[in-house]
Amino acid sequence: MMMTCRSLALLFTAATVIAAPEIAAAQPVAPREASASADAAARADASYRRGLRLYSDGKYVEAEAELQSAWELNPTFDVAYNLGNTKYQLKKHKEAAQYLSHALRHWPLMKAAAKLKTTAEQRLAESRAQVGALAVKAGAPGAEVLVDGKAVGKAPLEGEVFVEPGEHRVEARLEGYAPASQTVKVAKGGPAEVTLAMALAKSEAQETAPVANAAEGASASSAGAGAPAAGLAPGGPVEPASPPQPRSWVPVIALGAASAVGLGVGIGMTVASNAASDDAHKQSAAIIQGRGQCVKPESSWAGPCEQVRNDASRADTLGNVARVAFIASGAFAIAAATYVLWPKPKRSESAVALPMVHSDGAGIAVMGAW
């Protein structure tokens, strides 16, 4: 996957292309899916920009439609933030909370966007106080979660599900498992936890297998003058073999997205670090050309020397952040590849590969039973 030109360019200009003080510039948290066509990307960008202009003009209903179209084509941080603000202006607090919480979960590590985070947090708190929040946990990864019959995502859900105060029915469905459901009542401004345990469904073949095996054993016993059937222990029950569990691709998708985010942050921090380093070198060169020095600078050079030190320190800090981001990106990518290539276990226990990032390096921890 790779970032589009629009995404990479706007990643570093969030503070300079804001149409209104409360509207964030485009800043995706992950690259577009490789299958997205260029035409879809262009339409998403056009809808996004029209939505910003309409929002600035106070035409919130029209802005909502444009931003909703942009979200369906390209669900990124910047679209979620602006769509959440628009829903907030229209008093649609449930939807506003959903989009603002998504934006905050994927908030970028950039100072240019930091001032907008306070607005997002404040409006999320105001919207959340008007609705209820469900924290849903389903027993089977990849299970489709429904609230009042409407699909809200697949387990594990990324965040809370916001609903109107009152009683709601939460369900989880996955092929090969028995459906699970629970009815929960949530108060205005209050959270509620929902845990849905899911058991493997029994097929008709599994249910009839013990009966067929028992009949065969009885026939063989009669033919052998009372001897037990070959291959069966006398009196031993016949248990059906458990069906193989399908491999879940949710960890691969999650680890791949995390790797892409780390790569994007690493690139951004590297560019910013190089810029700060260039500033320090230019300022230092100017001091030397002016026959100044910064070991024991004269009062006239104190300010420029302090700027050189600040730029150098900022370059080091950004460089360290970039290195950590690249290490994390690589660790997540290795974890995803390990999960895909690891032999599928024959037993019900599964192996789990988890990335481990330290200040001095990174690695993979594999846990499971063999």
Side-chain angles (χ1 to χ4, degrees):
M1 296 187 291
M2 62 179 66
M3 288 189 175
T4 62
C5 295
R6 165 186 175 271
S7 301
L8 187 58
L10 292 176
L11 184 62
F12 308 111
T13 57
T16 61
V17 294
I18 297 175
E22 58 189 359
I23 299 180
Q27 177 130 258
V29 297
R32 300 180 190 274
E33 294 295 332
S35 60
S37 65
D39 179 62
R43 286 188 287 113
D45 183 67
S47 294
Y48 177 80
R49 295 181 183 278
R50 285 195 297 269
L52 294 185
R53 290 193 295 270
L54 290 167
Y55 184 98
S56 299
D57 295 337
K59 299 178 180 179
Y60 302 126
V61 175
E62 293 88 343
E64 178 187 29
E66 293 291 348
L67 292 173
Q68 193 72 54
S69 297
W71 172 261
E72 292 171 359
L73 292 168
N74 185 30
T76 55
F77 147 78
D78 55 324
V79 181
Y81 174 78
N82 288 282
L83 186 54
N85 281 333
T86 305
K87 300 284 187 181
Y88 172 86
Q89 298 291 355
L90 294 172
K91 307 300 181 183
K92 296 182 178 181
H93 296 295
K94 182 185 73 172
E95 298 175 34
Q98 203 72 53
Y99 288 111
L100 289 173
S101 65
H102 176 92
L104 287 170
R105 285 195 303 271
H106 300 284
W107 204 263
L109 300 174
M110 292 186 65
K111 292 182 179 180
K115 60 183 180 180
L116 301 172
K117 190 174 184 179
T118 302
T119 301
E121 291 173 338
Q122 178 183 352
R123 292 184 172 180
L124 173 59
E126 293 178 13
S127 297
R128 188 186 182 116
Q130 302 299 317
V131 297
L134 299 177
V136 183
K137 296 180 180 179
E144 185 178 35
V145 179
L146 302 93
V147 176
D148 298 328
K150 181 180 180 181
V152 296
K154 292 187 177 181
L157 295 181
E158 185 181 23
E160 297 175 308
V161 180
F162 295 96
V163 296
E164 298 297 338
E167 193 171 81
H168 299 276
R169 182 175 179 81
V170 185
E171 302 174 79
R173 302 174 184 173
L174 182 63
E175 184 178 356
Y177 287 82
S181 64
Q182 182 179 337
T183 299
V184 62
K185 188 173 184 179
V186 59
K188 183 178 181 179
E193 293 187 0
V194 180
T195 301
L196 301 174
M198 302 183 69
L200 283 171
K202 293 184 178 180
S203 65
E204 294 182 2
Q206 289 177 302
E207 293 175 352
T208 58
V211 178
N213 289 336
E216 292 175 2
S219 176
S221 177
S222 299
L232 295 178
V238 180
E239 296 183 359
S242 59
Q245 296 184 359
R247 184 187 295 273
S248 173
W249 292 100
V250 173
V252 178
I253 296 173
L255 290 170
S259 175
V261 172
L263 180 61
V265 172
I267 294 174
M269 294 300 101
T270 299
V271 173
S273 175
N274 292 341
S277 179
D278 290 343
D279 291 343
H281 285 309
K282 291 178 181 178
Q283 186 66 28
S284 178
I287 293 173
I288 293 174
Q289 291 177 359
R291 298 183 181 278
Q293 53 86 24
C294 291
V295 177
K296 291 183 179 180
E298 299 177 0
S299 58
S300 60
W301 296 107
C305 288
E306 180 65 22
Q307 183 63 43
V308 170
R309 286 190 289 270
N310 290 340
D311 289 340
S313 176
R314 182 158 55 91
D316 289 341
T317 300
L318 294 172
N320 290 334
V321 173
R323 282 188 285 275
V324 172
F326 285 130
I327 291 173
S329 176
F332 284 126
I334 292 173
T338 301
Y339 179 87
V340 172
L341 299 177
W342 198 271
K344 188 175 181 181
K346 296 181 180 179
R347 299 173 56 185
S348 60
E349 294 85 358
S350 60
V352 179
L354 299 175
M356 299 179 64
V357 181
H358 308 279
S359 59
D360 56 349
I364 299 296
V366 180
M367 297 181 294
W370 290 268

